[in-house]
């Protein structure tokens, strides 16, 4: 049996408050150049606070081939403002994908950009693309995210020590969420939402 070669995809997903879609070169904006000046964002990416140039953003966007590397923007539905990005790397052989997220606009944090985009992305990659597990990495001192992924059914696979942008070493934990666990969590959530 011959397996079809994956083709480039333009992804567009909608949620109540956001549009999640493939980032185009024209989506690069001045506010994006300042995202990593925020110490919280820089820390999450194990980076030093730095302003990046439009040329660097254009080069970053160009790295994604839309086949096994997707850069998705999280846009506010009402304003069209880009508030964050998700970089997703697909391994079709192992049927898994690595998902990284950054909510760059400080005033958009805690306003469902992360949650809504996750709720749109997981069914797309699990069901539409037929992948079987998702991977993510979290810094060991990010207690909020560690608690969140535990509640969502993610399981820690391993821990790695990496050079820290602040100097020394930092612990990075790798987590996996299987499609079957995700489906079970979705059934549980649907059952809880039903009126008694």
């Amino acid at each position: 049996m011959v397996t079809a070669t994956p083709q480039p995809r333009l992804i567009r997903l909608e949620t109540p408050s956001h549009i999640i879609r493939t980032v185009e070169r024209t989506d690069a904006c001045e506010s994006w150049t300042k995202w990593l000046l925020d110490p919280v964002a820089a820390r999450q990416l194990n980076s030093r606070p730095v302003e990046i140039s439009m040329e660097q953003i254009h080069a970053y966007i160009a790295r994604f081939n839309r086949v096994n590397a997707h850069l998705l923007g999280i846009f506010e539905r009402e304003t069209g403002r880009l508030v964050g990005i998700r970089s997703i790397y697909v391994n079709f052989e192992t049927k898994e994908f690595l998902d990284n997220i950054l909510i760059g606009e400080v005033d958009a944090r805690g306003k469902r950009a992360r949650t809504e985009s996750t709720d749109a992305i997981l069914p797309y990659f699990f069901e539409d693309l037929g992948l079987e597990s998702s991977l993510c990495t979290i810094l060991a001192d990010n207690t909020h995210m560690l608690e969140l992924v535990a509640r969502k059914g993610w399981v820690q696979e391993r821990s790695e020590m990496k050079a820290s942008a602040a100097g020394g070493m930092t612990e990075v934990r790798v987590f996996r969420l299987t499609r079957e666990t995700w489906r079970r969590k979705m059934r549980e959530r649907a059952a809880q939402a039903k009126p008694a």
Side-chain angles (χ1 to χ4, degrees), residues 19-151:
I19 304 293
I20 298 93
R21 64 166 175 79
T22 300
V23 171
E24 304 285 353
R25 179 184 171 87
T26 53
D27 292 318
C29 55
E30 286 301 320
S31 62
W32 188 348
T33 67
K34 300 180 181 358
W35 284 357
L36 292 185
L37 286 174
D38 173 42
V40 174
R43 172 71 182 133
Q44 289 175 347
L45 297 179
N46 191 22
S47 171
R48 291 183 183 276
V50 63
E51 183 170 354
I52 56 179
S53 68
M54 291 290 282
E55 291 75 19
Q56 287 173 305
I57 293 175
H58 289 151
Y60 181 66
I61 293 170
R63 287 171 33 192
F64 293 84
N65 62 17
R66 302 178 180 182
V67 178
N68 58 7
H70 298 273
L71 182 61
L72 304 181
I74 305 169
F75 298 84
E76 290 176 335
R77 180 184 283 276
E78 287 190 5
T79 66
R81 180 176 68 142
L82 176 67
V83 298
I85 54 174
R86 299 186 83 124
S87 57
I88 301 176
Y89 303 91
V90 178
N91 185 326
F92 287 103
E93 290 186 5
T94 60
K95 294 189 175 182
E96 61 189 19
F97 61 101
L98 173 65
D99 182 15
N100 303 297
I101 181 170
L102 172 65
I103 305 301
E105 296 293 341
V106 175
D107 66 348
R109 294 177 193 159
K111 296 183 180 175
R112 301 193 55 78
R114 178 186 48 76
T115 302
E116 285 191 5
S117 60
T118 299
D119 287 348
I121 283 169
L122 290 180
Y124 181 84
F125 283 87
F126 279 145
E127 305 294 7
D128 293 18
L129 293 190
L131 302 175
E132 296 176 356
S133 62
S134 178
L135 301 172
C136 73
T137 59
I138 303 173
L139 293 178
D141 60 2
N142 190 341
T143 55
H144 171 72
M145 285 304 297
L146 293 175
E147 292 169 0
L148 178 66
V149 296
R151 287 200 311 271

